[in-house]
Amino acid sequence: MTLSPEPAPTAIRVAVSTVIVALRPHPDTGAPALWMPLVRRVAEPHEGSWALPGGWVGPDEGLEDSAAARLRETTNVQPRYLEQLYAFGDVDRSPSRVVSIVYWALVHPDEASSVPDDWNVRWFLADEHPPLAFDHDRIVEYALWRLRTKVSYSRIAQAFLGDRFTLTELRGVYEAVLGRALDPANFRRQVAQGDAVLPTDETTSGGRHRPARLYRSNPDLAYADNGPLTPTTAATTVTAATH
């Protein structure tokens, strides 16, 4: 019997990319809307095109550490919520063989304010971004689909907000993510029936309206339940299995 020769080894490089999503006012309506920062590529392939922030995984880096490091380097973001989203590895997605481990980062206003908005990095409405390099359009489409699906059964909406927030602000997150208005009374009732959000003794101050009660996230609950992969403490950085 003649054995077929072993195939020549092919170098496969591993990269990380991150879809950063934040709430910012819509330029036309002023209502909360989903935005994401993109980075301009300064080298071929796709020089001058917009792309998701990311880079190569170092030989001594874990995937999550690499994703967090590339975010700091490209956008200055250090998110509280960073979750592994999916692995993209189509053979023709790049001129060389590259597998990208994609994360998403949901950031609250203080974190979003650290992102520069200039020639190299720019915020875009998540549903109205320009054509992206590589297969990043597909990645963003998937990330937004996952977000809109997951917000209905998890607590990740709270990742967009600061330590204290009103129920109106929380409802605004859901409306921005789902793309539709929610009944305020029904929303308040649903929140009261759960344990994800806890009332505080604090209220808003200033403004023309009556002070509103401030709420906080339940520190004993993670933003998302990932079974055995969920940390035993209520950490806000979650690594989910790719699938």
Side-chain angles (χ1 to χ4, degrees), residues 173-188:
V173 175
Y174 280 88
E175 291 178 338
V177 172
L178 297 174
R180 56 184 173 87
L182 301 177
D183 180 75
N186 286 340
F187 181 81
R188 181 177 293 272

Side-chain angles (χ1 to χ4, degrees), residues 107-115 162:
V107 300
H108 60 75
D110 289 345
E111 293 168 339
S113 64
S114 68
V115 179

Side-chain angles (χ1 to χ4, degrees), residues 80-174:
R80 295 186 301 174
Y81 186 88
L82 183 65
E83 179 183 339
Q84 191 179 126
L85 180 66
Y86 203 75
F88 289 80
D90 287 354
V91 174
D92 59 352
R93 65 184 302 269
S94 175
S96 59
R97 190 72 173 93
V98 177
V99 172
S100 286
I101 310 301
V102 178
Y103 285 75
W104 61 1
L106 311 182
V107 300
H108 60 75
D110 289 345
E111 293 168 339
S113 64
S114 68
V115 179
D117 199 349
D118 52 29
W119 188 88
N120 292 309
V121 181
R122 188 173 301 169
W123 285 93
F124 293 92
L125 284 165
D127 289 310
E128 300 178 18
H129 60 81
L132 304 182
F134 305 108
D135 56 354
H136 292 189
D137 286 298
R138 183 185 179 211
I139 292 174
V140 170
E141 180 182 12
Y142 179 72
L144 294 178
W145 176 82
R146 277 289 305 277
L147 174 60
R148 286 164 176 150
T149 301
K150 200 165 187 174
V151 76
S152 64
Y153 65 83
S154 72
R155 296 170 287 276
I156 59 173
Q158 298 161 47
F160 286 103
L161 301 171
D163 294 332
R164 298 291 187 271
F165 48 85
T166 66
L167 290 187
T168 298
E169 291 171 332
L170 182 59
R171 176 165 52 85
V173 175
Y174 280 88

Side-chain angles (χ1 to χ4, degrees), residues 5-20:
E6 290 289 330
T10 301
I12 300 178
R13 302 193 69 183
V14 179
V16 287
S17 296
T18 302
V19 182
I20 304 172

Side-chain angles (χ1 to χ4, degrees), residues 46-70:
H46 302 289
E47 182 177 0
S49 297
W50 294 102
L52 294 170
W56 301 114
V57 176
D60 57 348
E61 289 181 318
L63 292 175
E64 187 174 306
D65 290 340
S66 179
R70 301 299 86 77

